Amino acid sequence: MKKGRKILLLEPNYKNKYPPIGLMKIATYHRRLGDSVTFFKGNLKEFVLDQILKQCVNKLDRIEVLINWPNKRNLISAFLKKKDLSIYEDNDFLYSSNKPLIKECLKYYRNYYLKKIYKSEPLWDRIYVTTLFTFHWKITIETIEFAKSLVKDQSELKVGGIMASLLPKEIRSATNIKAYVGLLDKPSILDSDNDILIDNLPLDYSILEEINYEYATNSAYITFMTKGCKRKCSFCAVPKIEPTYIPKIDNIDKYNSIKKLYGEQQNLLLMDNNALASPNFPDIIQEIKEMGFYKGATYVEPNQLDISIRNLKNCINDKAYIKKSFKLIHGLIKYLRGKTAQDYFNILCEYELLKYETVTKDKLLSIYTEISSTFERYRPKNPKLRYVDFNQGIDCRYITEEYMKLLSEIPIRPLRIAFDSMGLKNKYIQAIELAAKYGIKKLSNYILFNFHDRPEDLYLRLRINMELSEKLGIHIYSFPMKYIPLYGEEAKDRSYIGKNWNIKFIRAVQSILNVTNGIVAPANGNGKGRSFFEKAFGRNIDEFFEILYMPDTYIVYRKLFEQDLGYTVKWLELFKSLNNEEFELVKHIIESNVFQNINEKVENSKLIQLLNHYTITRTAVKNVNADYKKLKLEFDQIILNNNKNQKINIDIHNVSEKMNCEQRGQFVELFS
Ligand code: B12
Ligand code: SF4
């Protein structure tokens, strides 16, 4: 096998919360083999431009040694990208005796970029594209296609991860690339001449510093204590992607090496699918405590600049640690005052470290000796509580008093328990009661819907949580999770509608959740949570259905339509006045969520009036800065005018410009 290969790791540019841990393991693997590793997530065209810029700067360095070309990266980039000629007005350029050669070089790289000549001279020996949710299909396929043009030999383009394991055939027919299915948990999968078990390797945290994208998990050890699951729920991908249940993975060595190389992390994020199914669960808790995650444990962030500079000196990942050191040095400025701030600024100035453009490894290593004591003195060192998060939730069917007691001995927050169907009701309630008994007060709960459940099941599960919170004095946050198929065409986007659901009901649930960022907050002692819940979801199943049938715009802008414009009540009166026959007639129109050409669908004027309420679109109110009266006049015309059935899209900007931001805020405030 060739040594010193150039390896590129790509995560498609979808929004996601956690870093690509598969790629972080692969990064460790290749570094151990002595290969050079680059990670990217973002706009791939920008990535290519950046690579070309580097080549161009190297070439210019050889043409004209008297000019500091790295300092002119922005000017060169603007020329390559937009033919911005400012570089030709630069003094250094004007005084150079090598102008013709410099011009030739710039022109060459501009063509190289714009005419995509780089595709015929790929740079990378191997590219890995990781994949996550199946519904990120489009952007993932685009990334694979782009990667094809960057790799020297297409057999060295590797695609793996979750979507790859669920849709390998579809990926093959879309891209002609054979995706890797499952975990890298056997030797010699990627290269036949070594037997490293990639799945067991510690994560390479340094790659995350190379990119601008910021994952939500700032400082955390991310790992699995177990793999797979003993159950085979039909809505879940785990039996396919991690088919073998491993009851205990040893993490201590990985934990120590991460701590040593990248510094102590604050929290412990466990992605286990079903940790409680493990007969070794007590050992798992013991190990968590040994890792420093015991009740009340605190964390003081280590000196990140020390770690960063040490890693720079050890050439762990120059791109990452140049970026990180620069960011840290600049990040300290906000903690400095007066003369200290001025002196610090002067040193940055002296080393030409005010702009990222001019940063170099050498400058960072030199400035470090001058600023390290200031950095240590002023960096924040306040202790923070540490938390453990079994991120995928625990299985209430395995909960026993002993296990709950064990869970209460670690700083778990929140304790997530899945409530996937009403069939789990009794076990689920028992588990919550046990949690409360052992003093676990912050709970969170995954509620699957849009699968085989009915809308009322969703309501009942949410209500159970609200009532349990109230009764036990705890906080249960509910996360309704819409089912998305795992296989075939339906898995490729999020539009799937379960057999007991319809698009209107799904939209209604999403509209309610819109306001709360997807969370249903718990009830508390003062009854506020209960009234919030009942306002949002209704006091009973009948009211819940009324809300499901309510125009989405009225759900989202509840206050505006209920209190300020008074339409909700008018709509409800009409809705409630429908006889069975009338209801059957409009039901399927409302459930289809298509309200164009109503006149062609129904003749009854009452029904038309009812359906007109649905034609007020969200966009019509989104940018509201009008006064209510005028707005009401406009909307009244539409709702009462039986002949106009087009969607309303009033240009509210023109109605009035008198409203200020605060008033506008009030407009969109839902449950005030
Ligand atoms: C953590 C997690 C989350 C996190 C976010 C994950 C993230 N990365 O940002 C949170 C909690 C936010 C989340 C949310 C959701 N999740 Co989720 N989540 C997971 C979980 C547990 C792990 C995903 C992960 O990051 N894995 C890290 C993997 C990739 O690392 P690894 O195991 O070390 O990787 C190995 C292999 O995959 C392989 N590999 C990986 N990359 C590559 C690349 C190459 C080239 C090669 C060769 C190999 C390879 O090698 C590695 C080493 O062995 C999975 C279940 C699971 N056990 O996988 C569900 C899972 C991905 N989630 C799922 C779902 C449904 C959701 C939700 C849609 C739920 C909902 N309805 O709201 C939401 C969606 C959020 C959104 N964006 O809209 C489904 C996906 C189904 C689908 N159709 O895609 C899964 C599979 C769970 C399930 N029970 O079915 N999720
Ligand atoms: S118990 Fe959880 S992880 Fe296991 S198969 Fe069912 S849903 Fe998936």
Side-chain angles (χ1 to χ4, degrees):
M1 184 185 62
K2 209 173 110 191
K3 289 279 171 207
R5 289 172 293 180
K6 271 175 77 77
I7 307 293
L8 175 63
L9 310 174
L10 290 178
E11 177 165 57
N13 199 18
Y14 38 63
K15 272 199 191 141
N16 57 327
K17 232 173 144 181
Y18 300 163
I21 69 174
L23 293 183
M24 290 162 87
K25 292 175 191 171
I26 293 172
T28 304
Y29 167 76
H30 278 288
R31 265 189 235 290
R32 287 195 182 174
L33 295 179
D35 296 325
S36 93
V37 180
T38 299
F39 170 52
F40 188 74
K41 177 184 178 86
N43 181 334
L44 285 163
K45 283 193 187 140
E46 296 281 330
F47 174 72
V48 169
L49 178 67
D50 199 50
Q51 300 299 312
I52 294 172
L53 183 64
K54 263 189 222 144
Q55 294 174 32
C56 180
V57 168
N58 282 343
K59 198 57 160 279
L60 289 169
D61 253 344
R62 270 179 271 144
I63 296 174
E64 175 58 278
V65 283
L66 296 175
I67 296 182
N68 185 345
W69 290 108
N71 279 6
K72 304 196 189 299
R73 272 188 295 219
N74 284 354
L75 284 180
I76 303 170
S77 169
F79 177 82
L80 298 185
K81 205 160 70 174
K82 305 184 285 213
K83 208 175 179 183
D84 178 334
L85 298 178
S86 313
I87 182 84
Y88 294 152
E89 286 151 27
D90 183 80
N91 273 347
D92 286 339
F93 169 79
L94 290 174
Y95 292 116
S96 168
S97 51
N98 285 319
K99 280 201 283 286
L101 277 178
I102 295 171
K103 273 190 163 181
E104 259 328 290
C105 174
L106 286 168
K107 258 197 244 156
Y108 171 81
Y109 281 105
R110 187 176 145 74
N111 259 345
Y112 192 72
Y113 174 62
L114 286 185
K115 297 197 174 149
K116 300 192 169 76
I117 299 170
Y118 59 84
K119 288 189 175 185
S120 58
E121 296 167 14
L123 278 182
W124 304 94
D125 294 309
R126 183 179 282 177
I127 301 185
Y128 293 90
V129 179
T130 194
T131 66
L132 186 58
F133 302 115
T134 57
F135 50 80
H136 291 318
W137 169 262
K138 191 168 171 286
I139 189 166
T140 307
I141 296 300
E142 282 165 9
T143 309
I144 299 171
E145 284 298 335
F146 201 98
K148 275 182 178 172
S149 64
L150 303 181
V151 69
K152 287 179 185 163
D153 168 359
Q154 281 194 14
S155 69
E156 289 293 312
L157 172 54
K158 314 275 179 197
V159 177
I162 290 162
M163 177 183 126
S165 303
L166 296 172
L167 302 174
K169 279 194 197 126
E170 288 81 353
I171 292 180
R172 182 81 186 247
S173 57
T175 64
N176 208 19
I177 299 289
K178 186 169 185 274
Y180 180 76
V181 174
L183 304 177
L184 296 168
D185 56 354
K186 286 167 204 69
S188 313
I189 293 175
L190 297 180
D191 297 292
S192 55
D193 61 350
N194 70 66
D195 56 5
I196 301 173
L197 262 183
I198 295 165
D199 198 39
N200 288 349
L201 292 175
L203 308 187
D204 182 332
Y205 280 74
S206 75
I207 64 167
L208 308 181
E209 310 295 344
E210 289 178 48
I211 55 168
N212 294 330
Y213 187 86
E214 288 190 15
Y215 297 96
T217 49
N218 269 338
S219 170
Y221 296 101
I222 307 173
T223 190
F224 289 84
M225 288 285 174
T226 60
K227 272 266 167 169
C229 179
K230 288 182 174 171
R231 301 189 194 277
K232 289 196 166 29
C233 305
S234 51
F235 56 84
C236 173
V238 170
K240 173 85 184 174
I241 49 188
E242 297 172 23
T244 318
Y245 188 67
I246 302 177
K248 173 78 181 64
I249 291 170
D250 192 13
N251 274 293
I252 290 287
D253 287 349
K254 283 186 262 183
Y255 162 77
N256 284 332
S257 82
I258 288 169
K259 193 164 137 181
K260 197 167 149 216
L261 203 54
Y262 310 109
E264 182 80 279
Q265 309 288 313
Q266 183 182 353
N267 298 323
L268 180 60
L269 184 59
L270 298 168
M271 292 194 180
D272 293 60
N273 309 297
N274 203 333
L276 286 194
S278 169
N280 305 63
F281 189 67
D283 306 332
I284 292 176
I285 296 291
Q286 187 51 34
E287 188 169 299
I288 292 174
K289 288 183 194 164
E290 279 163 23
M291 286 161 81
F293 293 91
Y294 46 85
K295 207 80 199 249
T298 52
Y299 161 88
V300 176
E301 194 177 13
N303 185 323
Q304 298 288 0
L305 187 61
D306 283 354
I307 297 169
S308 198
I309 294 290
R310 186 196 64 207
N311 287 349
L312 256 187
K313 282 184 185 153
N314 295 337
C315 302
I316 305 286
N317 180 344
D318 279 3
K319 181 174 178 200
Y321 289 109
I322 287 176
K323 203 159 168 237
K324 183 162 187 182
S325 305
F326 180 81
K327 206 165 132 192
L328 287 164
I329 290 172
H330 275 251
L332 191 76
I333 295 174
K334 63 175 176 285
Y335 300 106
L336 306 179
R337 299 281 174 276
K339 184 169 178 319
T340 321
Q342 187 58 53
D343 291 346
Y344 191 79
F345 183 84
N346 291 345
I347 301 174
L348 292 190
C349 207
E350 187 189 321
Y351 282 88
E352 285 187 305
L353 282 176
L354 291 177
K355 286 189 293 179
Y356 188 65
E357 244 190 300
T358 54
V359 70
T360 63
K361 179 171 170 172
D362 289 343
K363 287 182 196 169
L364 289 167
L365 294 180
S366 317
I367 198 174
Y368 173 67
T369 49
E370 289 207 39
I371 58 164
S372 62
S373 55
T374 311
F375 192 89
E376 175 53 25
R377 181 155 175 218
Y378 292 99
R379 74 184 177 90
K381 295 185 220 52
N382 49 320
K384 296 174 190 155
L385 283 171
R386 303 183 100 175
Y387 293 113
V388 179
D389 184 2
F390 278 96
N391 178 269
Q392 293 302 290
I394 55 169
D395 183 340
C396 62
R397 290 159 291 191
Y398 287 111
I399 292 256
T400 59
E401 184 123 14
E402 183 208 344
Y403 278 14
M404 191 56 84
K405 184 169 175 301
L406 285 172
L407 281 167
S408 73
E409 289 167 8
I410 56 170
I412 194 156
R413 187 176 145 146
L415 173 62
R416 303 179 197 267
I417 307 184
F419 193 1
D420 291 328
S421 71
M422 276 302 278
L424 294 172
K425 182 179 159 196
N426 294 340
K427 293 265 179 209
Y428 173 76
I429 293 176
Q430 275 169 23
I432 298 284
E433 285 174 346
L434 269 179
K437 178 174 167 188
Y438 283 95
I440 302 178
K441 289 196 180 294
K442 289 261 186 282
L443 291 106
S444 163
N445 170 276
Y446 293 126
I447 297 191
L448 180 77
F449 73 103
N450 191 43
F451 185 54
H452 294 156
D453 55 302
R454 297 162 308 156
E456 49 269 48
D457 298 337
L458 172 65
Y459 177 82
L460 290 172
R461 284 177 289 161
L462 293 173
R463 189 165 186 98
I464 288 172
N465 277 344
M466 184 271 289
E467 286 173 348
L468 280 170
S469 294
E470 205 173 53
K471 183 176 125 197
L472 301 168
I474 55 177
H475 298 265
I476 311 174
Y477 291 84
S478 303
F479 284 90
M481 297 203 316
K482 180 175 164 246
Y483 170 72
I484 292 147
L486 305 172
Y487 307 108
E489 286 303 309
E490 288 177 326
K492 291 181 182 172
D493 59 37
R494 302 190 205 209
S495 61
Y496 174 78
I497 307 290
K499 64 176 190 291
N500 298 319
W501 286 83
N502 57 64
I503 183 153
K504 171 68 185 78
F505 288 3
I506 295 283
R507 287 271 168 86
V509 171
Q510 284 166 341
S511 303
I512 303 172
L513 296 175
N514 228 352
V515 194
T516 60
N517 275 337
I519 310 165
V520 182
N524 56 21
N526 60 20
K528 226 176 160 187
R530 173 180 283 264
S531 60
F532 178 91
F533 173 85
E534 292 188 339
K535 182 82 185 156
F537 291 92
R539 281 170 298 178
N540 49 46
I541 292 180
D542 286 344
E543 281 193 10
F544 179 55
F545 273 95
E546 273 166 16
I547 294 170
L548 293 181
Y549 279 111
M550 186 185 279
D552 288 353
T553 319
Y554 292 12
I555 302 177
V556 174
Y557 303 98
R558 184 79 70 99
K559 181 176 173 287
L560 172 66
F561 285 95
E562 200 172 294
Q563 293 172 23
D564 302 328
L565 300 174
Y567 288 164
T568 311
V569 78
K570 285 190 184 146
W571 165 82
L572 193 61
E573 269 166 23
L574 273 171
F575 186 73
K576 281 188 164 170
S577 74
L578 300 176
N579 61 34
N580 284 349
E581 201 186 318
E582 288 168 335
F583 179 64
E584 283 309 313
L585 248 167
V586 284
K587 181 173 139 59
H588 75 269
I589 300 177
I590 301 177
E591 291 180 2
S592 72
N593 214 30
V594 177
F595 301 104
Q596 273 131 13
N597 308 323
I598 292 167
N599 282 345
E600 291 166 20
K601 293 176 185 163
V602 280
E603 285 168 3
N604 176 333
S605 65
K606 180 168 120 190
L607 299 189
I608 292 181
Q609 206 175 326
L610 176 89
L611 292 172
N612 277 338
H613 281 271
Y614 295 83
T615 59
I616 299 180
T617 64
R618 282 196 215 179
T619 22
V621 263
K622 211 160 67 192
N623 303 317
V624 160
N625 56 1
D627 66 62
Y628 305 150
K629 281 183 197 147
K630 252 186 170 165
L631 187 67
K632 187 164 168 16
L633 274 178
E634 303 270 1
F635 286 172
D636 272 349
Q637 251 182 17
I638 309 295
I639 289 169
L640 302 174
N641 179 355
N642 296 350
N643 298 320
K644 278 189 185 166
N645 280 314
Q646 82 280 24
K647 291 220 173 189
I648 301 174
N649 217 338
I650 305 163
D651 183 3
I652 293 159
H653 289 289
N654 295 334
V655 183
S656 158
E657 270 153 23
K658 284 190 196 115
M659 257 191 173
N660 60 29
C661 290
E662 207 176 303
Q663 287 166 315
R664 199 170 335 147
Q666 284 164 7
F667 254 91
V668 293
E669 204 181 328
L670 177 47
F671 306 107
S672 56

